[in-house]
Amino acid sequence: MKAFLNELNEEQRKAVEVTDGPILILAGAGSGKTRALTYKIAYLISKGTDPFNILALTFTNKAAKEMKERVSLLLGSGDARNVWLGTFHSVFARILRVEGVKLGYPSNFTIYDTEDSKKLIKSIVKSLDLDDKVYKASSVLGRISSAKSSLISAADYNKDEELKENDVALKRPRLGEIYALYAEKCFRASAMDFDDLLMNMNILLRDFPEVLHKYQRQYKYILVDEYQDTNFAQYVIVKKLAANNENITVVGDDAQSIYGFRGANIENILNLKKDYPELKIFKLEQNYRSTQNIVNAANSIILNNKKQFKKEIWTENEQGNLIKILKAATDNEEGRKIADYISFLKDSEDSIYRDFAILYRTNAQSRALEEGLSKTGIPYRIFGSISFYQRKEVKDLIAYFRVIINNNDDEALLRIINYPARGLGKVTIDRIIVEADSNRIPVWQIINDLNDYKIEINQGARRKIDDFVYMIRSFATYLNSKNAYELAHIIADKSGILADLFEDKSMEGISRYENITELLSGIKSYVEEETDEDNADNGNKSLAHYVQNISLLTDADKDDKNTDVVSLMTIHMAKGLEFPYVFLSGLEENLFPSLMALNTRSELEEERRLFYVAVTRAMKKLFISYAESRYKWGNQEFCEPSRFIEEIDPKHLDLSDLRARESYREKQIEMPKRNWEPKENKKTITPDPLPGKNFKKVTKTFTSNTTINSHYDVGMVVEHERFGKGKIISIEGAADNTKAIVLFDKEGQKQLLLKYAKLKIIE
DNA sequence: GTATTATCTAAGTCT
DNA sequence: TAGATAATAC
């Protein structure tokens, strides 16, 4: 049973074997911190601890999922499932569904996402007749969010003179007022935003001692991942929960603290010793992930930061290649160059696409990179920017679900009250909102008892509103009798969403329709799944449970382990991941480090930690690229290479490309644009001398919802989800806009955007 | 009053 | 580039 301890190194094992009392594991990048945590959970259970008595908190669903899988591997899924293992947000949401009644929330409360929150703030700013450029929704929300992260309620905020002065100085004197209205309206809608999940959890533990004691008793062992990313609220809550037993293990790395902008506080690690004088500290310094060259380069980067723990990360891995710096004339060339290197490495090192990641500072950079991959025929997937669940059409359908589950959910209600169009325009809706506001009640109550309120609405509109209310009510009657899939299907159909999207025959329209189909099939597989990962009450497959499950999910959580594609994502998203080959792009001043982070030393240091995180994602080979010019909001701008490149000890760098660049350019001019032929260019820029390799043509199809890219040719017989089989007659356009004209057996000739069409190649 | 079209504006990292 | 808003058509 305890054999698995042998799979740990000495320091890891020590950290695992000490179970009681406060423990800090300072774990460098790639030092096996997840391993230490999961083995500790397994060890606790193997020694007889009831899984129900273990609470393990992570920041991302992905990390939670991975830990759960790894504990299952060690112990079998039965025990692993019962551990309270999840993100801060999801675990607290689960508790608040049970205990929230004490704070006045029903168990079916809605979780507002950022878009909902911003819309609400916008409407409040408007109703107060304020300038929406001064009170920008995103910055107002940011202010409210950081207040909540510091456990400052609206009432506290408005009492605080210092905050008030600050707002006056920033020419936003009425921010406190907006905060108060925002909080009131969320509450009225039975909704919590992300930060409320933390703040309300704290209120619950603060004001209800019996609840506090209940959970203190329950969670005999508490483990926290990525402790350096905790904000004040999370810190306080964890401290309260652990106060009784003090059996708390936190894992963190100050060098990887990259969420300061969201209120994360490195000091939480530094102060741990003060909170727990008995604190035992273990340092994991051996890196198992990267080559010596990468590890040492990373060490040289972080030395530039003043504020840090003394750590010496080392590795027994091989020396490895130098970090190659790539220079490109434009952002597009950067994309092509990276694509070329990927093709080359894939063949020369016998690797697969999944081994590669392209990382960047901002989502906007993905476009140019995407184009390069696309032209070279490399399949890829972009993580982030717009998650599947954030797509308009998906949110629309989910908004129906939300309203049916919680009638008071104003944001969802307003989203669908006239979608699909049912003749209720701005004027009518505005009047209803005004009436709801003046009565301080949710919109639903107005439209549900329309005749009780004296609103100026004509008969026609009244009829339409009544029809809408009737429809929602009739859906609601199925909530308990039908499972999530059955009901979702009824709603998609009867609401008119499916018909509305089906009518739109544009490429985008077809893609929207397909997204709804995908959502429905996702719900279907949710219903058919054996167990329910995030909820204790296994087996409940109601629509309400489905919505609860997805409301905290993001794009990164969709695992695509089965598809062999290159990953594109922001560095933030890449945290905790590793790839054999990493391309770190856009290393330019004002982009990375970001222009907005140049004002203070601490912000710059956070950017540097971000750079450190990026570099330490690479296992075998790392490439760092920059462009001399880049399109930014429509114009081409010239860029300087990032200071971060200079900060790496030059002995770890391979600068040959900077000199070889000219010949590459000449070659570009020699072969004008015609068709992009990777083979030809390869020879000119190929770094390592490994000639004679041919480049295989990519002929796979990939069905990821985000971006699909594969090689189609005229004459191929393909299959489309809706149109059936057909033959490709011609292909035109490039990159994202590549269109194929397909003659379908049944449906006739159609023009399809390859990006969306998900054509399956038959022959 | 509502639906459609044209114009404008803003673009950072995320649970 | 897209999403929100303003102007115009129905």
Side-chain angles (χ1 to χ4, degrees):
Chain A
M1 184 60 112
K2 282 176 195 158
F4 56 73
L5 286 181
N6 297 332
E7 295 161 20
L8 301 172
N9 71 26
E10 201 187 332
E11 202 61 18
Q12 287 170 337
R13 201 181 64 240
K14 276 194 223 154
V16 166
E17 280 176 338
V18 181
T19 55
D20 289 16
I23 292 152
L24 166 63
I25 304 178
L26 276 172
S31 65
K33 97 188 145 56
T34 312
R35 196 182 179 85
L37 268 185
T38 47
Y39 277 68
K40 185 154 205 166
I41 293 171
Y43 183 69
L44 282 168
I45 295 173
S46 76
K47 279 197 15 180
T49 306
D50 188 332
F52 283 103
N53 292 137
I54 300 173
L55 172 67
L57 297 170
T58 66
F59 276 81
T60 63
N61 294 298
K62 198 168 193 163
K65 196 173 171 194
E66 195 192 336
M67 279 176 64
K68 207 159 247 194
E69 281 168 6
R70 285 166 76 164
V71 176
S72 298
L73 281 177
L74 293 171
L75 294 173
S77 63
D79 281 340
R81 196 181 304 146
N82 293 332
V83 176
W84 280 71
L85 199 165
T87 63
F88 280 91
H89 291 85
S90 70
V91 168
F92 295 168
R94 182 173 158 190
I95 293 174
L96 285 164
R97 298 245 175 243
V98 180
E99 315 285 353
V101 197
K102 300 183 175 66
L103 305 176
Y105 288 91
S107 67
N108 62 355
F109 67 83
T110 296
I111 297 173
Y112 273 180
D113 65 17
T114 311
E115 192 188 335
D116 298 319
S117 299
K118 278 187 187 164
K119 278 190 176 167
L120 177 51
I121 286 169
K122 231 174 193 176
S123 78
I124 291 169
V125 168
K126 207 169 186 181
S127 73
L128 291 174
D129 224 11
L130 298 169
D131 184 349
D132 60 1
K133 293 199 177 66
V134 179
Y135 292 91
K136 268 174 43 183
S138 52
S139 52
V140 173
L141 181 61
R143 189 90 178 140
I144 293 173
S145 170
S146 62
K148 285 183 180 173
S149 307
S150 309
L151 299 176
I152 299 168
S153 68
D156 299 337
Y157 194 99
N158 282 302
K159 270 184 258 164
D160 192 313
E161 285 305 320
E162 208 181 315
L163 287 169
K164 205 167 270 179
E165 276 167 31
N166 202 334
D167 282 338
V168 171
L170 289 165
K171 305 260 192 303
R172 294 182 304 202
R174 297 180 71 182
L175 221 141
E177 205 178 328
I178 299 172
Y179 183 6
L181 269 170
Y182 173 76
E184 188 194 321
K185 285 195 132 190
C186 285
F187 184 73
R188 206 189 292 156
S190 301
M192 296 191 200
D193 66 15
F194 290 138
D195 303 303
D196 285 331
L197 293 171
L198 305 183
M199 197 162 81
N200 286 330
M201 182 71 196
N202 182 61
I203 294 172
L204 196 63
L205 300 180
R206 184 193 67 195
D207 296 352
F208 299 87
E210 73 281 9
V211 177
L212 175 66
H213 296 145
K214 172 179 163 187
Y215 288 98
Q216 281 179 337
R217 273 196 305 276
Q218 169 150 13
Y219 302 135
K220 297 204 169 80
Y221 292 93
I222 297 176
L223 303 98
V224 185
D225 192 15
E226 309 274 20
Y227 194 74
Q228 76 283 352
D229 287 336
T230 51
N231 61 30
F232 183 70
Q234 289 161 328
Y235 160 80
V236 170
I237 293 166
V238 167
K239 195 175 163 191
K240 278 186 178 142
L241 287 173
N244 216 12
N245 308 315
E246 296 205 343
N247 292 330
I248 176 170
T249 298
V250 310
V251 183
D253 179 7
D254 57 303
Q256 294 187 65
S257 163
I258 55 173
Y259 283 104
F261 70 94
R262 219 173 63 198
N265 189 357
I266 320 186
E267 308 288 323
N268 289 346
I269 280 201
L270 297 159
N271 291 336
L272 217 54
K273 187 89 187 168
K274 287 182 204 149
D275 292 330
Y276 307 102
E278 307 283 287
L279 186 73
K280 290 196 182 75
I281 300 176
F282 298 92
K283 280 189 188 177
L284 306 183
E285 295 178 308
Q286 180 175 3
N287 175 301
Y288 292 95
R289 178 185 295 154
S290 314
T291 62
Q292 284 191 24
N293 192 61
I294 291 169
V295 167
N296 294 335
N299 282 337
S300 76
I301 290 163
I302 208 68
L303 274 178
N304 291 285
N305 273 6
K306 283 192 175 162
K307 213 159 132 189
Q308 52 161 330
F309 274 112
K310 195 92 193 114
K311 262 195 315 290
E312 200 58 53
I313 309 298
W314 56 279
T315 183
E316 283 176 353
N317 291 347
E318 58 175 0
Q319 182 65 37
N321 286 36
L322 296 175
I323 297 169
K324 184 139 193 150
I325 308 291
L326 304 176
K327 171 161 148 181
T330 64
D331 45 357
N332 285 320
E333 189 187 295
E334 181 185 39
R336 290 200 297 269
K337 227 167 166 171
I338 290 173
D340 281 344
Y341 272 93
I342 291 175
S343 300
F344 173 76
L345 287 168
K346 181 172 180 292
D347 278 10
S348 63
E349 310 222 341
D350 201 23
S351 47
I352 55 176
Y353 288 123
R354 220 185 307 151
D355 293 337
F356 295 87
I358 308 177
L359 308 182
Y360 36 81
R361 178 66 181 82
T362 67
N363 279 305
Q365 288 164 252
S366 64
R367 192 174 300 276
L369 298 165
E370 210 179 333
E371 206 162 305
L373 294 171
S374 200
K375 282 181 177 162
T376 316
I378 295 173
Y380 58 89
R381 170 162 177 220
I382 297 180
F383 290 80
S385 59
I386 315 148
S387 107
F388 179 74
Y389 299 106
Q390 298 292 112
R391 280 159 199 250
K392 188 193 167 295
E393 60 277 13
V394 174
K395 278 203 82 171
D396 286 337
L397 182 51
I398 291 174
Y400 272 90
F401 302 167
R402 280 168 50 178
V403 172
I404 290 154
I405 293 159
N406 170 16
N407 293 152
N408 298 340
D409 185 343
D410 278 2
E411 289 310 307
L413 179 68
L414 294 173
R415 194 179 174 102
I416 56 165
I417 192 164
N418 194 36
Y419 178 78
R422 48 177 69 86
L424 292 169
K426 193 173 179 298
V427 179
T428 304
I429 293 169
D430 277 349
R431 284 179 185 156
I432 295 170
I433 294 173
V434 167
E435 188 67 19
D437 276 345
S438 60
N439 287 285
R440 303 192 154 211
I441 52 174
V443 171
W444 173 261
Q445 280 191 40
I446 302 283
I447 60 172
N448 193 40
D449 310 310
L450 200 54
N451 294 326
D452 297 354
Y453 301 91
K454 293 192 210 87
I455 322 175
E456 199 191 314
I457 293 177
N458 64 38
Q459 268 330 103
R462 276 176 191 271
R463 247 323 270 292
K464 292 166 189 162
I465 293 169
D466 285 344
D467 287 350
F468 175 73
V469 169
Y470 179 78
M471 178 177 67
I472 296 294
R473 280 217 208 112
S474 68
F475 290 151
T477 58
Y478 293 129
L479 263 179
N480 295 318
S481 58
K482 299 225 181 276
N483 73 32
Y485 176 67
E486 294 162 340
L487 181 50
H489 212 281
I490 292 173
I491 295 167
D493 189 27
K494 294 270 161 59
S495 67
I497 288 186
L498 276 179
D500 182 68
L501 294 175
F502 190 75
E503 261 174 45
D504 183 352
K505 296 295 183 195
S506 69
M507 295 306 143
E508 294 80 7
I510 290 172
S511 134
R512 279 190 217 111
Y513 182 87
E514 287 172 348
N515 282 333
I516 292 295
T517 331
E518 190 179 332
L519 178 66
L520 289 174
S521 61
I523 299 174
K524 193 172 185 189
S525 49
Y526 167 80
V527 171
E528 287 163 359
E529 240 170 47
E530 284 226 348
T531 52
D532 185 341
E533 285 183 15
D534 284 320
N535 280 291
D537 44 355
N538 291 330
N540 191 333
K541 300 297 187 184
S542 72
L543 193 64
H545 278 259
Y546 173 76
V547 172
Q548 286 173 21
N549 268 321
I550 60 160
S551 53
L552 291 167
L553 286 189
T554 61
D555 206 33
D557 306 321
K558 291 191 90 180
D559 62 332
D560 257 350
K561 282 186 181 152
N562 301 321
T563 50
D564 181 28
V565 296
V566 172
S567 301
L568 274 71
M569 64 182 86
T570 62
I571 303 165
H572 281 91
M573 205 158 245
K575 181 154 179 221
L577 305 178
E578 59 182 24
F579 300 90
Y581 307 95
V582 169
F583 290 83
L584 181 52
S585 69
L587 258 285
E588 295 137 34
E589 281 296 296
N590 300 340
L591 180 60
F592 193 19
S594 161
L595 179 62
M596 297 169 198
L598 297 177
N599 302 321
T600 63
R601 171 161 206 107
S602 72
E603 278 179 310
L604 181 63
E605 294 209 340
E606 178 152 318
E607 291 285 301
R608 191 174 284 116
R609 291 192 295 271
L610 192 57
F611 183 48
Y612 176 82
V613 168
V615 166
T616 52
R617 296 312 93 198
M619 299 160 79
K620 281 186 180 169
K621 286 189 178 173
L622 173 65
F623 296 80
I624 295 178
S625 63
Y626 67 91
E628 293 172 297
S629 73
R630 178 178 296 279
Y631 272 93
K632 282 179 188 168
W633 44 95
N635 327 299
Q636 192 173 24
E637 291 191 6
F638 291 95
C639 332
E640 294 283 317
S642 169
R643 68 189 74 185
F644 289 158
I645 295 180
E646 289 169 31
E647 289 178 3
I648 306 174
D649 189 331
K651 71 181 179 205
H652 302 301
L653 301 181
D654 169 358
L655 301 170
S656 60
D657 181 73
L658 273 46
R659 295 184 286 273
R661 187 177 120 269
E662 288 311 316
S663 66
Y664 175 76
R665 257 192 173 167
E666 279 159 26
K667 205 75 187 172
Q668 289 280 297
I669 297 158
E670 249 172 58
M671 301 184 304
K673 286 185 182 157
R674 268 179 288 156
N675 278 329
W676 178 252
E677 287 170 344
K679 222 194 232 174
E680 296 296 317
N681 283 318
K682 194 69 54 223
K683 285 174 189 152
T684 65
I685 62 150
T686 289
D688 315 29
L690 275 164
K693 284 271 176 180
N694 289 321
F695 290 87
K696 289 168 262 166
K697 208 171 197 180
V698 187
T699 47
K700 278 187 193 166
T701 3
F702 297 97
T703 46
S704 135
N705 73 76
T706 35
T707 319
I708 298 137
N709 170 52
S710 44
H711 235 90
Y712 296 98
D713 273 326
V714 174
M716 276 180 175
V717 178
V718 291
E719 188 170 42
H720 185 272
E721 246 181 20
R722 212 140 48 84
F723 303 142
K725 275 185 193 165
K727 196 172 193 176
I728 300 180
I729 312 179
S730 78
I731 292 180
E732 50 195 53
D736 262 14
N737 291 317
T738 315
K739 285 175 213 153
I741 300 180
V742 182
L743 182 63
F744 288 100
D745 295 351
K746 285 174 193 154
E747 305 277 344
Q749 191 171 313
K750 303 256 182 216
Q751 210 181 53
L752 302 169
L753 206 56
L754 287 181
K755 187 179 168 198
Y756 295 123
K758 292 187 190 167
L759 292 174
K760 208 193 276 173
I761 296 168
I762 307 287
E763 26 176 285

